[in-house]
Amino acid sequence: MNQKKTAFVTKELMLRAVKDSFVKLAPKTQLRNPVMFLVYVSAVLTTALYVCSLFGVADARPGFILAVAVILWFTVLFADFAEAIAEGRGKAQADALRAARQDVTANKIPSPDRRDEITRVKSACLRKGDLVLVGVGEQIPADGEVIDGAASVDESAITGESAPVIRESGGDRSAVTGGTTVTSDQLVIRVTSEAGESFLDKMIAMVEGASRKKTPNEIALQILLVALTIIFLLVTVSLYPFSAFSAGQAGMANPTSVTALVALLVCLAPTTIGALLSAIGIAGMSRLNQANVLAMSGRSIEAAGDVDTLLLDKTGTITLGNRQAYELIPVDGTDIHELADAAQLSSLADETPEGRSVVVLAKEQFGLRGRNLGGLHASFIPFTAKTRMSGVDYAGNEIRKGAAEAVRAYVAGQGGAYSKQCEEAVEQIARQGGTPLVVAKNGRVLGVIHLKDIIKQGVREKFADLRKMGIRTVMITGDNPLTASAIAAEAGVDDFLAEATPEGKLQMIRDLQAKGHLVAMTGDGTNDAPALAQADVAVAMNTGTQAAKEAGNMVDLDSSPTKLIDIVRIGKQLLMTRGSLTTFSIANDVAKYFAILPALFMGLYPGLSALNIMGLHSAESAILSAIIYNALIIVALIPLALRGVRYREVPAAKLLSRNLVVYGLGGIIAPFIAIKLIRLQINLHTGLSQRNPGSIFR
């Protein structure tokens, strides 16, 4: 799934889209888009009119009818092409995923303690609840949950990441996906999905667009477009008897024809956005797929665009995830170099990120490098949850490092006195949101190590950008309120939930939603499932439990908590793209109105010449120029529809005014220029002129 940036359109994708464009000409397919179905019917009607004209039954010149019919067919094909090229990207992804889905032979077992009783069955025959044994080099036959064992699993077929990940029973990393491969050890897996309903099957269906349903916003916009089209249809139909009556009163021939009115209807209807509407939605989902996020519905993408509150875990999202040694604080006159030496010695065998960070701090700030421990005859004391201390014994010396209360008890047991200055340092570190580790040597307190949650680089600026977007950020942490407050202030979040519990998260989401907010959050554990199910946008980590994945409406294949911010941007970009191109499409109608109507009725009403600002002296050239532009603008906007309108982190009012200028005013001006240029090209290549306006159509 992980997609590298490639050329916008490949040769294979282009050929596939061209083929699909013709396949989509089936009436049943066209009927799904009412606006473009009108163009389809218009193309069929003008084609029939041209055939009739060959037999002497014509309301306009045969050449003109043929030209209109051809251009209308191209308009339909261009709309199909836009949708097909958007779908093509998803189909290419789906083909890659199908390659990972194989019907393998599974080792079915009756229970974890009866691994020798293996029954070989096809993966397609597995049912929910079955137990399978998967060894090194074997493909996991179906989605499931590890109930026994721990192993490295290659998930590159799904995520695109080559590095294996650990999957083990219990905890939040027990879920496995069918189609991935075990690269070490053995796993006993309980199947959690029926055949054909696996995560991989859902991925294929979503990226291919087979299960894509129109979103509420998309449906609402389509209703608006249909309503506008009906209005323009009624207006256009009424023009024929009106024109016939006026021409009769003036003793002139009726300047309108069915062909001309059909072309006028197509130009005035919102065909541009009608042609691109489906492509915009498909492309939005494709951009999300390229970010390695699987959306279970288009509704969730749109909701992401409307989100105004983000709930973010502290660990791994706002902070690096591991506390780092920040500074050494000596007490009671202890030399800081003595403290650094003791802290380093006690941490040399500590393989935790915190322990390694102490060694790094001693090296970088005090020049203490590794030393030969063999000569010291050192004995290392590992950290345990019971003692809450670690340390080292060497050459008659004892060094201990650990939680303040644990070291206090150790010092008292050695007959020493706990330092008042140490207590003050510990309290000061806690108020700052840090974690204190006290270091003692031979029953005497030397000082305190300040462990700090390191805020990720650029996080504060990112939250400032979100604030400009009108999005409120809430940090969720299990820390105490004092620590949480300090980290929240440093990170620049708007609010925080300390000592968070599943019930607390759920209640917070409900309270926010009751106030009219749309809430997004991430989660990976079973305890996150209730809150994920309640959130408007719920992003479950791919490494998380099955319960979390089922509760979420999106799955992040990279399992990156920060991905939520990118999801919001993609959602907003989708809504902006749809809104901007709708504005552009409707604004286009103004220019096409001035292009066709004055040229069509100037003979009856000379006063309309004042509105003919493009100087189109022939109704036929005006109509041709307008419908050619109407077709070509669809092709011109396909890249924008697929890539999306660029989103900027600015206030909504400023963003709206900018887009109204670019796509509203631009949508009015652009057609005037383009139609005039097209008309000049028609005249240049056909000899059509004011003196001989109909020569091409004879």
Side-chain angles (χ1 to χ4, degrees):
M1 277 287 295
N2 193 31
Q3 301 292 317
K4 294 181 179 179
K5 288 188 177 180
T6 57
F8 180 70
V9 177
T10 63
K11 183 180 178 181
E12 293 77 12
L13 183 60
M14 181 73 76
L15 292 174
R16 187 173 191 169
V18 170
K19 179 184 175 182
D20 288 347
S21 299
F22 286 93
V23 173
K24 290 177 178 291
L25 288 176
K28 187 178 179 180
T29 305
Q30 293 295 318
L31 195 56
R32 293 185 302 189
N33 189 336
V35 177
M36 294 312 300
F37 183 70
L38 176 70
V39 183
Y40 179 81
V41 172
S42 300
V44 172
L45 177 60
T46 51
T47 303
L49 290 173
Y50 173 69
V51 173
C52 291
S53 71
L54 297 178
F55 296 95
V57 182
D59 67 341
R61 295 181 177 88
F64 173 67
I65 300 173
L66 177 63
V68 171
V70 170
I71 296 168
L72 291 182
W73 279 117
F74 271 105
T75 304
V76 176
L77 284 171
F78 290 159
D80 291 343
F81 179 78
E83 185 177 39
I85 206 162
E87 290 176 346
R89 292 183 163 190
K91 288 177 180 179
Q93 294 173 346
D95 290 342
L97 290 170
R98 283 195 184 92
R101 185 181 63 182
Q102 300 176 12
D103 190 13
V104 299
T105 302
N107 301 319
K108 186 178 176 182
I109 59 175
S111 65
D113 56 350
R114 296 166 62 186
R115 301 188 183 191
D116 295 335
E117 302 176 27
I118 294 175
T119 304
R120 308 275 288 178
V121 298
K122 291 291 185 181
S123 58
C125 298
L126 291 173
R127 295 293 179 264
K128 189 174 181 179
D130 288 345
L131 300 183
V132 293
L133 179 67
V134 187
V136 178
E138 294 179 342
Q139 190 177 98
I140 296 174
D143 291 357
E145 194 166 9
V146 179
I147 62 170
D148 190 49
S152 298
V153 179
D154 179 5
E155 296 184 343
S156 58
I158 307 297
T159 66
E161 297 295 331
S162 58
V165 295
I166 302 299
R167 293 290 178 263
E168 57 189 351
S169 60
D172 296 338
R173 295 183 177 270
S174 60
V176 291
T177 305
T180 58
T181 304
V182 175
T183 58
S184 72
D185 303 298
Q186 274 187 346
L187 296 174
V188 177
I189 299 168
R190 180 189 293 114
V191 177
T192 56
S193 66
E194 299 289 349
E197 299 177 0
S198 69
F199 185 64
L200 198 58
D201 291 316
K202 292 176 182 177
M203 285 178 66
I204 292 170
M206 291 306 300
V207 301
E208 196 172 35
S211 60
R212 192 185 94 88
K213 296 181 180 179
K214 291 180 180 178
T215 62
N217 283 349
E218 196 172 349
I219 293 171
L221 180 56
Q222 194 164 65
I223 292 172
L224 172 63
L225 298 181
V226 170
L228 288 174
T229 302
I230 292 172
I231 292 171
F232 287 127
L233 177 62
L234 294 174
V235 169
T236 306
V237 170
S238 67
L239 282 177
Y240 190 85
F242 178 78
S243 175
F245 174 80
S246 299
Q249 292 294 311
M252 299 171 55
N254 189 354
T256 63
S257 64
V258 174
T259 303
L261 292 177
V262 167
L264 175 63
L265 172 61
V266 170
C267 287
L268 293 183
T271 52
T272 304
I273 184 61
L276 298 172
L277 187 59
S278 180
I280 293 169
I282 296 170
M285 186 166 286
S286 178
R287 284 194 295 275
L288 203 64
N289 293 332
Q290 289 170 8
N292 260 12
V293 178
L294 177 67
M296 299 304 177
S297 69
R299 183 191 294 265
S300 59
I301 306 176
E302 283 191 352
D306 289 327
V307 159
D308 60 8
T309 305
L310 296 186
L311 302 188
L312 303 161
D313 281 328
K314 180 202 74 174
T315 306
T317 305
I318 297 171
T319 65
L320 292 174
N322 299 309
R323 294 168 298 175
Q324 305 289 307
Y326 178 67
E327 67 175 331
L328 301 177
I329 305 172
V331 297
D332 299 335
T334 302
D335 184 76
I336 194 168
H337 290 88
E338 183 185 0
L339 173 60
D341 183 73
Q344 186 211 42
L345 278 171
S346 64
S347 303
L348 287 174
D350 189 348
E351 293 299 323
T352 65
E354 293 87 350
R356 290 195 295 270
S357 74
V358 173
V359 176
V360 171
L361 181 67
K363 176 183 176 181
E364 292 180 348
Q365 292 193 8
F366 303 97
L368 297 177
R369 300 185 177 273
R371 60 191 77 186
N372 184 10
L373 299 177
L376 296 176
H377 302 289
S379 174
F380 290 96
I381 291 83
F383 175 88
T384 66
K386 185 177 180 180
T387 64
R388 299 175 67 199
M389 287 193 309
S390 62
V392 60
D393 296 339
Y394 72 99
N397 296 299
E398 291 184 0
I399 299 176
R400 296 294 182 268
K401 175 193 72 179
E405 292 302 318
V407 176
R408 180 198 290 269
Y410 163 77
V411 170
Q414 295 291 314
Y418 194 72
S419 168
K420 178 71 173 175
Q421 194 176 352
C422 180
E423 286 184 359
E424 293 173 352
V426 168
E427 290 176 5
Q428 179 65 23
I429 292 170
R431 281 195 297 270
Q432 294 174 0
T435 301
L437 291 180
V438 179
V439 180
K441 183 176 182 180
N442 299 329
R444 180 173 67 91
V445 175
L446 299 181
V448 185
I449 303 171
H450 181 179
L451 294 180
K452 185 178 179 181
D453 274 318
I454 305 298
I455 304 296
K456 286 185 175 180
Q457 189 176 3
V459 161
R460 189 176 184 89
E461 291 76 12
K462 196 172 283 186
F463 289 153
D465 289 340
L466 289 171
R467 200 170 292 111
K468 292 177 184 176
M469 296 157 57
I471 296 175
R472 182 168 169 264
T473 52
V474 180
M475 182 185 76
I476 299 175
T477 177
D479 294 335
N480 61 69
L482 190 64
T483 301
S485 177
I487 296 173
E490 186 179 354
V493 297
D494 299 302
D495 200 358
F496 64 89
L497 175 66
E499 299 175 342
T501 62
E503 295 79 14
K505 295 178 189 177
L506 180 61
Q507 190 58 48
M508 173 175 261
I509 293 173
R510 285 175 174 171
D511 291 343
L512 288 167
Q513 289 173 333
K515 295 176 183 177
H517 297 285
L518 284 176
V519 182
M521 74 163 289
T522 61
D524 59 359
T526 301
N527 62 345
D528 292 323
L532 287 170
Q534 183 67 36
D536 300 287
V537 177
V539 185
M541 302 294 102
N542 190 42
T543 57
T545 62
Q546 193 67 29
K549 288 170 128 178
E550 289 177 358
N553 48 30
M554 292 187 185
V555 177
D556 177 18
L557 302 180
D558 295 330
S559 300
S560 170
T562 57
K563 193 68 69 66
L564 185 57
I565 297 172
D566 297 325
I567 291 170
V568 171
R569 282 200 176 95
I570 292 172
K572 288 188 175 296
Q573 190 182 36
L574 170 64
L575 296 178
M576 278 181 51
T577 303
R578 189 181 292 154
S580 297
L581 293 187
T582 300
T583 303
F584 184 87
S585 176
I586 295 174
N588 271 206
D589 291 341
V590 177
K592 288 180 283 189
Y593 170 89
F594 279 97
I596 297 177
L597 287 184
L600 194 61
F601 293 105
M602 276 191 305
L604 283 176
Y605 305 100
L608 288 176
S609 58
L611 300 178
N612 188 22
I613 58 180
M614 284 180 274
L616 304 175
H617 300 286
S618 163
E620 292 176 339
S621 69
I623 290 170
L624 275 185
S625 301
I627 63 172
I628 289 173
Y629 169 80
N630 197 59
L632 293 180
I633 195 62
I634 295 173
V635 179
L637 291 176
I638 288 176
L640 184 61
L642 298 187
R643 290 181 177 139
V645 174
R646 183 182 176 187
Y647 180 74
R648 303 172 188 269
E649 287 84 1
V650 297
K654 187 175 180 181
L655 197 62
L656 178 62
S657 58
R658 178 186 176 275
N659 286 347
L660 283 175
V661 170
V662 174
Y663 297 100
L665 186 60
I668 294 174
I669 295 173
F672 279 96
I673 300 171
I675 290 172
K676 181 67 176 180
L677 291 174
I678 292 171
R679 186 251 182 182
L680 293 174
Q681 289 297 311
I682 291 175
N683 289 354
L684 181 65
H685 289 90
T686 65
L688 187 64
S689 65
Q690 184 178 354
R691 292 183 177 179
N692 191 20
S695 59
I696 185 179
F697 307 119
R698 295 186 184 279

